[in-house]
């Protein structure tokens, strides 16, 4: 558990740690706005596109082997990021880093699903939820601390150098201690399914990442429409492969399990607000208030601590209270976003101290919701489908993040006028509008939680 949780932490952290490093990277490498966006989001693109394939490769070749391969590629790509002399080189290294994460992360979920008994699985997923949540919320804090420390004069490059020692140690420990496992029945790689699914995901993710910077030209909408057709074609291919007795990349029947189908949509909604909100908050603190990367990172510290406490509480309450814990978490999360919007529009001067309590309220709800939601999605999945189902879950996290960044980017940047006389007030207004958007998504998440089975042990999939 300790070994695979390190992998989950690193893969998630690198989606967030670069956010506070963005201004320093742009100044040092002379990156354009588009290049900076690709440095931040290119990682998520390859991450999202290859996650399901990474899960299937784990089923076929062994989860231990693919975890080590993914961690090795991730670590080497991190070194390439740290050494990149140009923005284009950094973008290329980040794309490879995302591929390493895509090979690694599905094995984390699969190892827990396969090797941990049902009695203790909720605790294991609770630990995983704590780790992912802390990496998500604490990523900016870690990034700010590393940049502020300026270790060996490395500046922003330290956010990538830190992966080298951790990655090497994790690979060595995994090689010695991680049990081997793979799908019990022989599995094959569904090449047509891989190609069509990857193409459909790319057609969805690329315009979401690039659309705002490009001004949403016609090709972005054409790409989104083509992705819909691609997913429809993928469903047909998978059904025909299964009907012929083949081994489809994704059994469509998985979505007949209510905890899985509703849970995947819930994960999409949660991560749509999680990544995007902390991105615009970082921009608000640094561009609006003129804070340093370290100062912006420290603003997240109370929220990160709150998330940790309530994640631990959730892992202990879920076995007794079931879905009720998720419902309370969703309501508290919704209240957190609502309170942020209220205080920002209340006429008080915008300072970090004004929003830290509301960020803590958000984190309390997130700790109660995010931690047990992972178990809610995978709790009824057959171990033979653990790798692919885990890949779908991880893909939902990344696609949700891309959707959130795209939509909240429109809301934030259309509301934020950097040339305004009072830049602080302009940033506060833009963050308030973004908080209203996340409030709407949080309300949707609350409804989805109510559609989940009440208890993994007591409820059936059709109820």
């Amino acid at each position: 558990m300790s070994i695979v949780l390190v992998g989950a932490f690193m893969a998630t952290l690198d989606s967030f740690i670069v956010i506070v490093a963005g201004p320093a990277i742009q100044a040092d490498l002379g990156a354009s706005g588009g290049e900076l966006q690709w440095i931040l989001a290119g990682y998520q693109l390859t991450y999202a596109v290859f996650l399901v394939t990474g899960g299937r490769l784990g089923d076929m070749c062994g989860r231990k082997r693919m975890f080590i391969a993914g961690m090795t590629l991730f670590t080497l790509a991190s070194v390439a990021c740290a050494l990149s002399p140009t923005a284009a080189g950094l973008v290329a290294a980040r794309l490879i880093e995302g591929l390493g994460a895509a090979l690694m992360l599905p094995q984390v979920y699969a190892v827990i699903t396969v090797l941990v008994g049902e009695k203790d699985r909720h605790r294991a997923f609770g630990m995983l939820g704590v780790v992912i949540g802390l990496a998500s919320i604490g990523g900016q804090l870690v990034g700010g601390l590393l940049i502020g420390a300026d270790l060996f004069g490395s500046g922003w490059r330290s956010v990538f150098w830190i992966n080298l020692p951790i990655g090497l140690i994790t690979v060595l420990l995994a090689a010695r201690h991680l049990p081997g496992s793979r799908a019990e029945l022989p599995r094959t790689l569904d090449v047509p399914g891989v190609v069509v699914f990857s193409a459909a995901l790319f057609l969805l993710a690329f315009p979401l990442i690039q659309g705002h910077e490009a001004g949403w030209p016609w090709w972005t909408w054409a790409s989104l429409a083509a992705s819909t057709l691609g997913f429809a074609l993928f469903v047909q291919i998978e059904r025909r492969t299964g009907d012929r007795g083949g081994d489809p990349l994704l059994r469509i029947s998985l979505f007949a399990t209510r905890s899985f189908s509703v849970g995947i949509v819930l994960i999409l909604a949660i991560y749509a607000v999680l990544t995007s909100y902390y991105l615009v908050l970082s921009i608000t603190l640094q561009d609006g208030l003129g804070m340093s990367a370290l100062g912006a990172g420290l603003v997240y510290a109370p929220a990160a601590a709150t998330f940790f406490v309530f994640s631990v509480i959730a892992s202990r309450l879920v076995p007794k209270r079931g879905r009720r814990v998720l419902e309370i978490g969703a309501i508290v999360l919704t209240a957190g976003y609502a309170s942020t919007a209220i205080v920002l529009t209340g006429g008080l001067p915008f300072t970090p101290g004004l929003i830290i309590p509301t960020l803590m309220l958000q984190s309390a709800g997130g700790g109660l919701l995010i931690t047990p939601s992972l178990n809610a999605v995978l709790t009824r999945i057959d171990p033979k489908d653990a790798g692919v189902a885990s890949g779908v879950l991880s893909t939902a996290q990344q696609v949700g993040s891309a959707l959130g960044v795209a939509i909240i980017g429109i809301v934030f940047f259309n509301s934020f006028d950097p040339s305004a006389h009072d830049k602080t007030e302009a940033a506060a207004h833009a963050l308030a509008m973004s908080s209203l958007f996340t409030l709407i998504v949080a309300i949707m998440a609350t409804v989805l939680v109510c559609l989940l089975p009440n208890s993994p042990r007591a409820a059936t999939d059709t109820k």
Side-chain angles (χ1 to χ4, degrees), residues 165-189:
I166 299 175
L168 287 175
I169 294 172
T170 304
V171 166
L172 293 174
L173 291 175
R176 181 170 182 177
H177 297 291
L178 190 62
S181 71
R182 65 179 70 195
E184 294 181 2
L185 298 176
R187 308 302 294 265
T188 59
L189 188 61

Side-chain angles (χ1 to χ4, degrees), residues 197-222:
F197 185 74
S198 299
L201 266 180
F202 178 83
L203 290 170
L204 173 65
F206 184 82
L208 292 178
I209 294 171
Q210 195 69 17
H212 176 75
E213 180 72 18
W216 297 102
W218 66 270
W219 61 262
T220 58
W221 302 106

Side-chain angles (χ1 to χ4, degrees), residues 93-140:
R94 285 282 283 171
L95 292 172
I96 298 172
E97 191 181 37
L99 176 59
L103 295 177
M104 175 174 59
L105 191 64
Q107 318 318 324
V108 178
Y109 292 92
V111 164
I112 294 175
T113 302
V114 173
L115 298 183
V116 179
E118 183 178 353
K119 179 181 178 181
D120 296 320
R121 198 174 297 158
H122 69 274
R123 294 178 57 198
F125 277 112
M127 294 169 65
L128 177 61
V130 171
V131 167
I132 290 178
L134 284 178
S136 304
I137 296 176
Q140 295 90 333

Side-chain angles (χ1 to χ4, degrees), residues 68-448:
I68 292 174
M71 177 63 78
T72 301
L73 182 60
F74 179 89
T75 303
L76 293 175
S78 296
V79 173
C81 289
L83 295 174
S84 296
T86 64
L90 181 54
V91 169
R94 285 282 283 171
L95 292 172
I96 298 172
E97 191 181 37
L99 176 59
L103 295 177
M104 175 174 59
L105 191 64
Q107 318 318 324
V108 178
Y109 292 92
V111 164
I112 294 175
T113 302
V114 173
L115 298 183
V116 179
E118 183 178 353
K119 179 181 178 181
D120 296 320
R121 198 174 297 158
H122 69 274
R123 294 178 57 198
F125 277 112
M127 294 169 65
L128 177 61
V130 171
V131 167
I132 290 178
L134 284 178
S136 304
I137 296 176
Q140 295 90 333
L141 172 60
V142 175
L145 290 173
L146 287 171
I147 295 171
D150 193 21
L151 300 172
F152 307 106
S154 57
W156 61 266
R157 299 176 190 272
S158 61
V159 303
F160 298 110
W161 279 123
I162 193 66
N163 291 335
L164 177 59
I166 299 175
L168 287 175
I169 294 172
T170 304
V171 166
L172 293 174
L173 291 175
R176 181 170 182 177
H177 297 291
L178 190 62
S181 71
R182 65 179 70 195
E184 294 181 2
L185 298 176
R187 308 302 294 265
T188 59
L189 188 61
D190 173 19
V191 176
V194 168
V195 172
V196 174
F197 185 74
S198 299
L201 266 180
F202 178 83
L203 290 170
L204 173 65
F206 184 82
L208 292 178
I209 294 171
Q210 195 69 17
H212 176 75
E213 180 72 18
W216 297 102
W218 66 270
W219 61 262
T220 58
W221 302 106
S223 180
L224 291 172
S227 73
T228 304
L229 297 177
F231 285 119
L233 177 60
F234 172 72
V235 171
Q236 293 300 316
I237 290 174
E238 298 306 277
R239 283 178 173 167
R240 290 177 183 175
T241 301
D243 291 342
R244 292 197 302 264
D247 192 11
L249 177 67
L250 174 63
R251 287 196 305 109
I252 304 302
S253 59
L254 283 175
F255 290 93
T257 304
R258 199 176 89 185
S259 59
F260 185 76
S261 56
V262 175
I264 288 297
V265 181
L266 174 63
I267 293 296
L268 278 167
I270 291 173
Y271 279 81
V273 301
L274 187 63
T275 304
S276 58
Y277 194 77
Y278 283 103
L279 173 61
V280 299
L281 179 58
S282 180
I283 295 172
T284 300
L285 295 173
Q286 293 191 61
D287 290 352
L289 295 180
M291 299 180 68
S292 65
L294 176 59
L298 290 175
V299 171
Y300 296 96
T306 302
F307 183 92
F308 175 78
V309 170
F310 280 87
S311 294
V312 173
I313 292 174
S315 66
R316 296 180 178 180
L317 288 180
V318 168
K320 300 177 182 178
R321 303 297 181 184
R323 193 185 67 193
R324 183 70 63 187
V325 179
L326 283 78
E327 293 172 350
I328 295 173
I331 292 171
V332 174
L333 181 69
T334 302
Y337 290 122
S339 61
T340 304
I342 291 171
V343 299
L344 289 175
T345 55
L348 297 174
F350 178 37
T351 64
L354 186 67
I355 61 170
I356 285 177
T358 68
L359 295 178
M360 293 174 66
L361 186 61
Q362 294 172 21
S363 295
L368 294 173
L369 175 61
I370 296 173
T371 298
S373 66
L374 302 176
N375 187 44
V377 175
L378 297 178
T379 186
R380 289 185 166 270
I381 296 300
D382 193 297
K384 73 176 186 294
D385 294 314
V388 172
S390 302
V392 174
L393 172 60
S394 303
T395 301
Q397 292 172 320
Q398 300 308 311
V399 172
S401 296
L403 282 168
V405 168
I407 299 173
I408 205 170
I410 296 173
V411 174
F412 181 83
F413 289 109
N414 285 345
S415 305
F416 181 39
D417 181 10
S419 62
H421 175 70
D422 190 340
K423 200 170 183 179
T424 299
E425 183 178 343
H429 172 71
L431 184 60
M433 295 300 101
S434 301
S435 299
L436 290 175
F437 162 73
T438 52
L439 172 62
I440 294 172
V441 180
I443 293 172
M444 294 171 55
T446 304
V447 174
L448 290 168

